Amino acid sequence: MPTSAIRLVRFTGRLLLALAAVATLAVVFLALIALTDGAGSGLAAWLTTLGAGTVLALRRARHRTWPTKLVPFLPVIVAAALTATVCIPTVPTARRYPPTLPFVSTQHWNLATGSRVAVYHYPPGNPGPRHPVPFVYLHGGPVRGISVRDHWFLRLLARQGYDVYAYEQAGGGRSDLLTMDQYTVSRSVSDLAAFVDRLDMGTVDILGFSGGGVVLTRALADPDVAARLHRAIIAEPGPMDGPTAHITGHKGRASARGLAPAPTGPRSTHVPRYAVAFGLMRLGLLTPDTGLIGQAEGDNSFTAADLGSDTASAYCARDAHRIPPEDTAQNFSFSPAASLRIQQTVKDSPSIAPQLRRSRTPAMLMIAECSSQVRQWATATLANDPAIQRTQYMPGVGHHMWNGLDDNNDRAVAVITAFLQDKPAPLPNYPTRDEIPTFLRDHK
């Protein structure tokens, strides 16, 4: 074999060994991040990895001559530089709140629970009859800001004569953060009761969407909170308790997930620090209260593009190439760590079915045809809440039923207002409790 070829083989072998050493140190670093829960912004794991790599490099360099003694240190230096990027914040570590919306004023209310929440008010906007009961909107998420598209929908309800109030749940949007241990679904229910008390207008009609539907369902199971509610609309709810959360069942008809173009715009997950933090959190290898990134830093870094195909999953497959923008970059707000924390408290909670079966608050359930939610999450509520008077199966829409496409907003308004005014439903009452087995079989 020619000398040049031998040198090339040796060089390639050494290069592969060096790359393997870099990869090994990176894996050790990630393992230490998980074991230390990201202590000290990841510096504990970084220093330990650097120290271990240095010790091994010293041992390998012991019998080498100068300058080859430096060769074992090169993988350590490269690995240290790469992993250091996980320890360095690239966004402010103090919370940056979205700017004020141009079309509605933002108030901040201090609730009796200690939460300070951002509140929006849309007074009745037409000269005709006004609904005497105030209307409250509980948005989804959890711990997400109210999207601009939802604000447009609330304005549409106000134009129907409703006095509309909405608040961003603690930690979301322009509401103040809580400490991580305070983010629980029980706290969300208590905040709802405290909000209605602070409103001081008697009982309220309430629409809970997605994660807000979970909070509303649990509120209906609590007689003290339910006493504050006049009528309740549960739209596309998540799981109401631990047993429901562990159900793996049917979903709705095909959504646009995997069909819609990939979201554009910057992603925090393209930055090593946040890719590691959010990835390990999602895998359960870091706690929501991790020392790697603080709650505020995580909120500041997370973008709408980070949701990936989650947005597309809220639309029907046929709408894959015309999904409207749900929010603006300036208004978008989501707390991934706090959201995971609340979801975990739902999963860990015992069944609320016995309490829900005593509910007396008139309620309506809304289910989307192309729902990305597990069907049993909604039907479990229907089966256990005897006060649900009607179910409205919404054809042609996905999880985000009021999305601005076609006449979807108007159809959602018609369903909601008919129930609140105790008028005949514009759609059949379907599924009923007796039809749940057939519904689960036929609509998947």
Side-chain angles (χ1 to χ4, degrees):
M1 182 180 292
T3 302
S4 59
I6 294 173
R7 288 175 179 171
L8 178 61
V9 170
R10 288 176 177 172
F11 173 78
T12 303
R14 289 169 183 165
L15 179 60
L16 291 174
L17 287 173
L19 291 174
V22 171
T24 299
L25 288 171
V27 169
V28 169
F29 171 73
L30 292 176
L32 288 171
I33 286 285
L35 288 172
T36 62
D37 199 25
S41 195
L43 287 175
W46 186 80
L47 290 171
T48 303
T49 304
L50 179 61
T54 301
V55 169
L56 291 174
L58 286 170
R59 292 183 63 180
R60 292 185 60 200
R62 186 183 306 167
H63 302 296
R64 293 174 180 251
T65 59
W66 189 265
T68 59
K69 282 181 176 289
L70 298 177
V71 173
F73 292 92
L74 291 178
V76 179
I77 294 170
V78 173
L82 291 174
T83 53
T85 60
V86 177
C87 305
I88 302 171
T90 61
V91 299
T93 56
R95 182 71 174 107
R96 293 183 306 183
Y97 293 95
T100 302
L101 291 166
F103 50 79
V104 63
S105 62
T106 306
Q107 306 174 51
H108 284 91
W109 289 7
N110 295 313
L111 304 182
T113 55
S115 299
R116 186 170 185 266
V117 298
V119 180
Y120 309 93
H121 179 210
Y122 293 100
N126 70 344
R130 298 189 175 189
H131 197 66
V133 180
F135 180 95
V136 173
Y137 176 61
L138 271 180
H139 63 85
V143 200
R144 184 173 177 175
I146 299 175
S147 70
V148 168
R149 194 158 293 283
D150 277 3
H151 276 289
W152 291 346
F153 183 67
L154 297 178
R155 294 201 302 186
L156 183 58
L157 283 169
R159 287 199 290 271
Q160 306 299 312
Y162 290 87
D163 196 13
V164 178
Y165 291 84
Y167 69 95
E168 287 170 319
Q169 295 161 41
R174 296 164 185 82
S175 294
D176 286 5
L177 307 181
L178 302 174
T179 58
M180 196 58 67
D181 63 320
Q182 292 180 298
Y183 289 111
T184 67
V185 69
S186 296
R187 174 61 173 264
S188 299
V189 174
S190 297
D191 280 351
L192 169 60
F195 177 83
V196 177
D197 290 344
R198 174 69 172 75
L199 187 60
D200 196 24
M201 297 177 67
T203 59
V204 301
D205 291 331
I206 184 164
L207 166 63
F209 167 65
S210 191
V214 176
V215 176
L216 177 54
T217 301
R218 295 179 72 95
L220 293 172
D222 184 329
D224 290 339
V225 183
R228 298 166 168 87
L229 310 180
H230 179 253
R231 282 180 172 252
I233 302 167
I234 305 165
E236 279 287 286
M240 65 184 186
D241 53 24
T244 311
H246 290 94
I247 292 174
T248 55
H250 307 304
K251 296 186 179 182
R253 302 200 189 281
S255 76
R257 182 188 288 270
L259 301 174
T264 59
R267 295 191 183 198
S268 68
T269 47
H270 288 170
V271 180
R273 177 173 176 82
Y274 307 114
V276 168
F278 297 143
L280 293 182
M281 265 192 247
R282 183 174 286 274
L283 292 172
L285 298 176
L286 285 180
T287 67
D289 203 16
T290 175
L292 182 58
I293 60 170
Q295 178 189 173
E297 183 188 350
D299 294 3
N300 292 340
S301 67
F302 203 88
T303 68
D306 286 320
L307 292 174
S309 59
D310 282 359
T311 298
S313 70
Y315 290 81
C316 290
R318 67 188 183 197
D319 295 326
H321 295 283
R322 60 168 193 156
I323 294 176
E326 294 197 342
D327 211 347
T328 63
Q330 295 75 24
N331 185 64
F332 177 82
S333 171
F334 182 66
S335 178
S339 181
L340 286 172
R341 163 75 180 162
I342 290 180
Q343 290 177 61
Q344 190 61 50
T345 66
V346 174
K347 293 177 182 177
D348 293 341
S349 68
S351 173
I352 64 167
Q355 294 81 14
L356 188 59
R357 292 185 192 118
R358 296 194 289 269
S359 174
R360 296 296 179 267
T361 304
M364 177 177 73
L365 179 65
M366 296 175 70
I367 304 176
E369 178 184 6
C370 309
S371 176
S372 55
Q373 308 283 75
V374 174
R375 289 296 197 196
Q376 285 90 333
W377 292 351
T379 58
T381 302
L382 175 61
N384 289 288
D385 185 351
I388 292 180
Q389 298 178 346
R390 63 178 75 170
T391 302
Q392 299 286 267
Y393 176 73
M394 306 290 292
V397 294
H399 180 60
H400 202 167
M401 292 181 283
W402 40 89
N403 52 39
L405 294 176
D406 304 327
D407 63 344
N408 293 340
N409 283 15
D410 292 332
R411 289 195 295 133
V413 166
V415 164
I416 290 168
T417 56
F419 173 69
L420 295 181
Q421 297 172 24
D422 201 21
K423 293 182 177 179
L427 296 171
N429 179 26
Y430 175 76
T432 63
R433 290 175 189 83
D434 293 340
E435 294 171 321
I436 289 175
T438 304
F439 174 76
L440 293 175
R441 185 190 67 225
D442 294 346
H443 293 273
K444 59 181 180 178

